[in-house]
């Protein structure tokens, strides 16, 4: 999940807010001072809720903060965080509206542009999302959340050369991110360069041991006709991820290739019991399960 709350207020920023409040307090009425105190309390509560992914409560507190102090210079950041919370709860129109307000005050913020791009993408407004991501990366060419989202958007729209460029940037500048290696492996798979894809998938697994990456590696090995390696890696992958149905499906393909039909159908049955879509199972591994 693209997440994050880049604007949970840092200690230096909070100190600046506190200093400003102190300087203004001599001129503030008691009611105004209470509003400022409420504002900070609502932000604290909202940030706490957001950090625990309680987005409905976080959104409520961010709204209360905005009501308590509508003129605060920090409100672009509060609107940005509100937009992220609303995106997470599926209120996409309201999320985009909040992020629009944030961008009026910070039009070149890569954080806010990327957050709005995600809401736009979830609203099936791909071109608008791409425009925001391009703007975010024009402001910061290695902004990781924007690179993550744009690379996957390019894959979604089958613009593989541009996707590869973004994956290469991630792979170069963020070597601990498995997405760079996985994305480049996918691009190599599209070109039929299975050996290069295998190397990259293995690299990704060393960075993050995810079941889906093991499935992708198995597919690459099978496409490369490296059957012995596929058998060994599937044995280990199933040991590590015994509830991943697609791994059994891949092993079933290998059994079928070796004319072990009974074992293949046993693995297909296991895959189906673990939630693999029957249509996908039939397409990958034809045959009736007993």
């Amino acid at each position: 999940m693209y997440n994050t709350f880049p604007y949970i207020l840092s200690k230096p920023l909070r100190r600046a807010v506190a200093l400003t409040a102190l300087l203004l307090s001599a001129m503030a009425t008691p009611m105004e001072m209470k509003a400022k105190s409420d504002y900070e309390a609502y932000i604290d509560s909202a940030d706490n809720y957001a950090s625990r992914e309680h987005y409905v409560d976080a959104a409520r507190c961010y709204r209360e903060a905005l009501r308590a102090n509508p003129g605060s210079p920090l409100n672009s950041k509060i609107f940005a965080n509100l937009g992220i919370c609303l995106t997470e709860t599926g209120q996409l129109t309201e999320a985009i509206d909040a992020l629009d307000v944030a961008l009026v005050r910070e039009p070149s913020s890569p954080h806010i542009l990327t957050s709005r791009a995600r809401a736009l993408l979830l609203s099936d407004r791909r071109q608008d999302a791409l425009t925001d991501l391009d703007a975010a990366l024009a402001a910061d060419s290695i902004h990781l959340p924007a690179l993550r989202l744009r690379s996957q958007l390019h894959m979604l729209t089958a613009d593989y050369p541009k996707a590869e460029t973004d994956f290469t940037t991630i792979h170069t500048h963020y070597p601990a991110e498995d997405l760079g290696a996985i994305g480049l492996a996918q691009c190599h798979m599209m070109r039929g360069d299975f050996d290069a894809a295998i190397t990259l998938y293995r690299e990704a697994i060393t960075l993050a041991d995810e079941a889906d990456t093991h499935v992708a590696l198995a597919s690459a090995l099978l496409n490369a006709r490296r059957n012995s390696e596929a058998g060994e890696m599937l044995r280990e992958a199933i040991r590590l991820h015994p509830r991943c149905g697609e791994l059994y499906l891949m092993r079933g393909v290998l059994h079928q290739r070796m004319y072990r039909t009974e074992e293949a159908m046993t693995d297909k049955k296991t895959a189906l019991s673990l939630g693999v879509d029957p249509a996908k199972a039939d397409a990958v591994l034809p045959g009736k399960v007993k």
Side-chain angles (χ1 to χ4, degrees), residues 4-213:
T4 180
F5 284 81
Y7 291 126
I8 289 180
L9 301 185
S10 65
K11 288 183 180 178
L13 189 53
R14 287 185 183 278
R15 283 198 293 270
V17 173
L19 179 59
T20 301
L22 182 63
L23 292 172
L24 293 175
S25 63
M27 298 180 287
T29 66
M31 185 173 295
E32 289 170 335
M33 291 176 68
K34 181 179 185 303
K36 288 183 175 63
S37 175
D38 289 346
Y39 179 71
E40 293 177 8
Y42 283 129
I43 291 173
D44 281 337
S45 294
D47 288 350
N48 182 45
Y49 282 129
S51 69
R52 293 183 288 128
E53 300 185 5
H54 295 175
Y55 297 117
V56 172
D57 289 324
R60 173 178 54 79
C61 290
Y62 284 131
R63 284 189 171 111
E64 292 296 338
L66 291 166
R67 291 189 188 99
N69 193 356
S72 170
L74 294 177
N75 281 350
S76 60
K77 298 167 176 52
I78 304 307
F79 273 109
N81 282 3
L82 174 60
I84 294 171
C85 290
L86 293 170
T87 301
E88 294 297 336
T89 58
Q91 300 173 75
L92 299 176
T93 300
E94 295 88 344
I96 293 166
D97 288 344
L99 292 160
D100 285 346
V101 175
L103 282 165
V104 168
R105 303 187 185 193
E106 295 188 52
S108 299
S109 166
H111 296 293
I112 303 174
L113 285 163
T114 303
S115 297
R116 188 172 70 175
R118 181 167 179 263
L120 290 165
L121 186 55
L122 290 170
S123 303
D124 203 28
R125 293 169 57 181
R126 293 181 183 179
Q127 188 54 54
D128 290 335
L130 183 58
T131 298
D132 272 359
L133 292 168
D134 288 344
L137 289 163
D140 178 357
S141 63
I142 58 170
H143 183 61
L144 182 56
L147 285 167
R148 284 181 185 140
L149 198 56
R150 191 174 72 174
S151 62
Q152 293 174 80
L153 178 54
H154 285 320
M155 290 295 284
L156 189 64
T157 57
D159 194 342
Y160 302 124
K162 288 183 179 178
E164 186 166 7
T165 297
D166 283 345
F167 287 131
T168 298
T169 302
I170 295 170
H171 197 233
T172 301
H173 291 278
Y174 303 98
E177 276 283 318
D178 64 330
L179 178 61
I182 290 170
L184 288 173
Q186 290 172 336
C187 292
H188 284 294
M189 289 288 286
M190 294 290 180
R191 289 199 292 269
D193 187 354
F194 304 123
D195 290 337
I198 289 164
T199 299
L200 287 159
Y201 282 133
R202 289 194 188 280
E203 176 188 333
I205 288 168
T206 67
L207 297 171
D209 183 18
E210 300 290 342
D212 287 347
T213 313

